[in-house]
Amino acid sequence: KQQFSENRKNVAKYDRDYYLGDITTKSKYIRILCRDHEYEDGDRIKLMLNKAIIHPNISLRNSAYIIDIELKEGLNTIEFIALNEGSSSPNTAQLKVYNESDNLIGSGQWLLTTGRKASLIVLRESFWVYIKWSKFTSFVDLLLDSAT
């Protein structure tokens, strides 16, 4: 019989929020694949984008839940909030993040107690921000260059 490490851990050490890192992309949207990577036991999460609920109740399975998230220019904060710990503590998940060209741009895992969250920061760069900081020293230089 396959052995899982869930429910044999001191879950008090998972009573904290997780930072999953930050990603930079020029994509207008990202695709997130999220799944229970350990024992499928009924873990549920709430998904938020920039403090707004975009999905109130996702049941995590061993097969991936897929969601496309439209990004605003600049910083986007994505939060995965543990609604429960299923029948085997803690709430466990693995995620993969893909850009609009279907390239893997990020991944992570969490082990959360109920009410805790895992956060991911996504910076969507605009064309103008990229040009401004890579070629020009100021927005004025950019305008002068485009006028010639």
Side-chain angles (χ1 to χ4, degrees), residues 16-23 109 117-122:
R16 64 181 179 89
D17 293 337
Y18 273 67
Y19 179 62
L20 297 168
D22 52 305
I23 297 170
Q109 295 181 351
K117 66 184 174 187
S119 301
L120 175 68
I121 305 295
V122 181

Side-chain angles (χ1 to χ4, degrees), residues 12-105:
K13 68 181 175 181
Y14 303 113
D15 190 24
R16 64 181 179 89
D17 293 337
Y18 273 67
Y19 179 62
L20 297 168
D22 52 305
I23 297 170
T24 302
T25 184
K26 292 181 182 69
S27 295
K28 293 180 182 177
Y29 72 90
I30 56 172
R31 175 165 290 152
I32 293 181
L33 282 70
C34 190
R35 69 182 198 93
D36 191 333
H37 68 290
E38 290 202 14
Y39 179 64
E40 187 177 310
D41 63 335
D43 291 339
R44 294 181 302 110
I45 59 169
K46 175 171 40 175
L47 182 57
M48 300 186 69
L49 173 63
N50 300 323
K51 303 289 183 199
I53 298 170
I54 58 175
H55 200 299
N57 189 355
I58 297 171
S59 293
L60 297 173
R61 311 253 187 260
N62 289 138
S63 58
Y65 179 87
I66 301 169
I67 187 165
D68 290 341
I69 298 177
E70 187 175 332
L71 302 171
K72 68 176 178 108
E73 287 187 359
L75 291 177
N76 294 269
T77 302
I78 301 170
E79 295 174 321
F80 306 85
I81 300 169
L83 296 176
N84 71 351
E85 297 173 37
S87 61
S88 180
S89 296
N91 182 304
T92 57
Q94 173 188 51
L95 75 123
K96 292 184 179 182
V97 182
Y98 294 87
N99 65 13
E100 60 190 28
S101 300
D102 210 27
N103 296 316
L104 181 66
I105 58 173

